[in-house]
Every structure is written in structure tokens, then in C-alpha cells.
Amino acid sequence: MFLKNSLPSPQVMGIINITPDSFSDGGHFFSIDSALNHARLIVEEGADIIDIGGESTRPGAQAVSVQEELDRIIPILEKIRAEWPIKISVDTSKAQVMREAIAVGADMINDIMALRGEGCLATVAASEQVQICLMHIQGEPRTMQESPHYEEVVGEIKAFLLERVRACLDMGIASNRLLIDPGFGFGKTVAHNLLLMRKLDVFSDLGYPVLVGLSRKSLIGNILNKPVTERLYGGLALAVLAVSKGAAVIRTHDVAATVDALKMTDAVLNSQG
Ligand code: 7PM
């Protein structure tokens, strides 16, 4: 039955850990088995999308070579693709990684640099289907938290995302392949993050699905004064708020809890009468 005013149900994107293999020495080997076990859990817990990343975006993190990123991502992507019918997102800012991930069946590219890297726009444009999440970041991961500054944070991030959307459309990428993301924690103070959450409807009103990543972030740690292991409840509160302001996809480490929280939220938002 057609439900008047019903919105698409929010989707959950589960983050897969690709952790250094504890049996190797220099942290160059990544355990495929532990990544696949984690993928199975994410699927069983009801995620709609699984996000695979091979490069840490942590402030101060070492850059990873193209080959190393490929070695971490591609075998795991191929095995997930063969085993489960879940949508697969690849977290990368490198054109070559995008190209090879698309070739082995990635459904989405999640690029914290919003396709500003060399050859990235053309690579995504060359594929007919792949979706692309355009995220805002101020600065670069290594230094982004040193002194975030905006005159008007919501307007500046909106203008940035619209400029990246325009760049995609100009390359011939269909508008229904695009998602946008204000990039919580990426060159933002706590005050910036709180304002972005309060005004999240500004982004969902642009007409592109909004993806948000809030899971375990320092925004939560800062308000609750809790370490990263104790940020689930705070993260669920933010996920519910984000969906009530129109977010379409929640990126999270905690899939089972987020699926329940969003089913409940969706039942209320889409209830009739
Ligand atoms: C250190 C700093 C480690 C930041 C991990 C992170 C997002 C993302 C990430 C997001 C999209 C994290 C982040 N966050 N992709 N990748 N949106 N689209 O906490 O907010 O997971 S990495």
C-alpha cells in the first residue's frame, strides 16, 4: 500500500575493521579471516551497506601506498561480494583504488575528499552504476583538528557540497548516484559539530540522501566525557536525531543497536493517522 508522506527507511552502513594481523611483524599484513568474520556479523546484525576502508583517516596517521590499500581492500571485497548480497562501499580517496574496487563489484565509493583527488571524478564517471558519497572535510586528515575555522559553518559546508555535486553532474554522473555528508569531526570543533547536527535538515533539504558518521566520535566523548569504548548510547542518540532531521544513511560501528534504534525511529516517523 502507498503510504502518504512516507519516507524511505533509513539505512545502516556498518564499518568493517581491517585490522593489522597480530601474527605479522610490521603491521603490513591484514587478516582476511578476522575481517570476514566481522563482515558476517555486520550482515547478520542487519546492515544495509558495509563500508570497507584500507587507509586510516585518524589525525596524524601514516599515509598508505596505493598497493597497500589495494592489498587490504580488494581480497576482502571479493570475498564479501561472493558470500553475501549486501551493498559494498569502499572508503578511499585514490582513483586507482576506486577503479579496481568498481571492477570487482563495489556498489559505492565513500570518499572523504569528495573526488578532489587526481582522476577520481573521471574514474567514477566512467562507471554507470556506482554510487558516490561526497564528504566535507576542512584541511587534510593529518592536521584537520589543529584549528578548524569557519565564518558560517553550515553555509560553507553546504556551498562546498553543492560545488562537488556540480562537479559530478558536469562529468555526466547521474544525480541519483550521489550522496552528501557534512563530515562530522573532519576539521570541526565540538560547537561546529553540534550546530551541524541541529541544522542537518539544511542538508537533507538539498534533495540528495544525507549520510552521517557519528559512531564513537570525539564529539560524543567530549560531551559525555567517556572513552571510545563507552560511546554507544550517545551515538544512538545522535543517530536518532540525524534520522529525525532527514538523514538517509547512518555509518556506524554498532550495527545491531543502530538497526533497532532506527527501526523504532522510522516506525514513529512513518506512522499513519
Ligand atoms: C580517526 C578519525 C579514525 C576519524 C576514524 C575516523 C566518516 C567517514 C570516517 C564520516 C563518511 C570514523 C572516522 N568517518 N566517511 N569515514 N563519513 N562518509 O570515526 O563521518 O570512523 S573515519
Side-chain angles (χ1 to χ4, degrees):
M1 192 181 78
F2 179 73
L3 299 177
K4 192 156 69 81
N5 296 329
S6 73
L7 291 162
S9 298
Q11 298 209 314
V12 173
M13 170 186 268
I15 304 165
I16 190 166
N17 296 322
I18 303 187
T19 47
D21 188 334
S22 52
F23 295 106
S24 80
D25 45 8
H28 284 281
F29 293 91
F30 286 75
S31 166
I32 294 184
D33 278 356
S34 72
L36 287 179
N37 284 334
H38 191 202
R40 173 175 297 107
L41 185 69
I42 287 171
V43 171
E44 286 172 358
E45 289 183 345
D48 304 282
I49 310 165
I50 193 163
D51 193 38
I52 313 174
E55 180 184 36
S56 177
T57 44
R58 207 176 307 281
Q62 285 290 313
V64 168
S65 73
V66 172
Q67 192 54 52
E68 186 154 350
E69 217 181 307
L70 287 169
D71 291 346
R72 293 179 189 183
I73 289 173
I74 300 299
I76 291 164
L77 200 171
E78 286 178 313
K79 292 201 168 64
I80 294 172
R81 170 53 71 242
E83 193 110 14
W84 302 288
I86 193 167
K87 190 186 255 198
I88 303 173
S89 157
V90 173
D91 199 330
T92 186
S93 299
K94 298 190 181 84
Q96 193 183 335
V97 177
M98 293 177 188
R99 193 154 50 240
E100 299 198 22
I102 292 167
V104 297
D107 301 288
M108 186 187 294
I109 300 297
N110 176 23
D111 181 5
I112 66 160
M113 299 305 291
L115 301 183
R116 284 174 294 160
E118 196 183 332
C120 290
L121 268 174
T123 298
V124 169
S127 145
E128 299 267 288
Q129 298 288 336
V130 78
Q131 290 191 291
I132 168 75
C133 179
L134 302 167
M135 198 195 80
H136 173 271
I137 179 174
Q138 183 176 84
E140 52 174 288
R142 205 170 47 78
T143 53
M144 64 189 176
Q145 289 306 99
E146 283 172 10
S147 57
H149 177 80
Y150 303 83
E151 297 299 327
E152 207 271 279
V153 64
V154 175
E156 286 174 40
I157 293 175
K158 173 178 160 178
F160 172 86
L161 291 173
L162 286 175
E163 184 273 319
R164 298 314 298 155
V165 164
R166 175 47 52 200
C168 289
L169 298 178
D170 287 348
M171 284 297 287
I173 299 170
S175 62
N176 63 6
R177 293 169 56 193
L178 304 176
L179 295 88
I180 55 174
D181 180 345
F184 285 98
F186 284 85
K188 282 115 187 157
T189 63
V190 172
H192 294 142
N193 288 314
L194 293 173
L195 182 59
L196 283 169
M197 175 56 68
R198 219 167 73 225
K199 303 279 187 185
L200 198 68
D201 52 327
V202 168
F203 299 97
S204 39
D205 285 348
L206 296 176
Y208 296 89
V210 170
L211 185 153
V212 294
L214 295 149
S215 180
R216 303 184 186 175
K217 283 192 175 169
S218 63
L219 163 65
I220 304 166
N222 204 289
I223 301 291
L224 302 182
N225 193 23
K226 289 193 167 168
V228 69
T229 51
E230 291 168 34
R231 295 178 186 170
L232 171 59
Y233 308 146
L236 292 175
L238 294 177
V240 169
L241 269 169
V243 167
S244 79
K245 291 174 182 294
V249 184
I250 304 295
R251 181 180 181 276
T252 182
H253 302 87
D254 301 294
V255 171
T258 304
V259 165
D260 273 5
L262 296 195
K263 268 190 196 161
M264 213 55 244
T265 309
D266 188 48
V268 174
L269 294 179
N270 276 328
S271 63
Q272 300 297 306

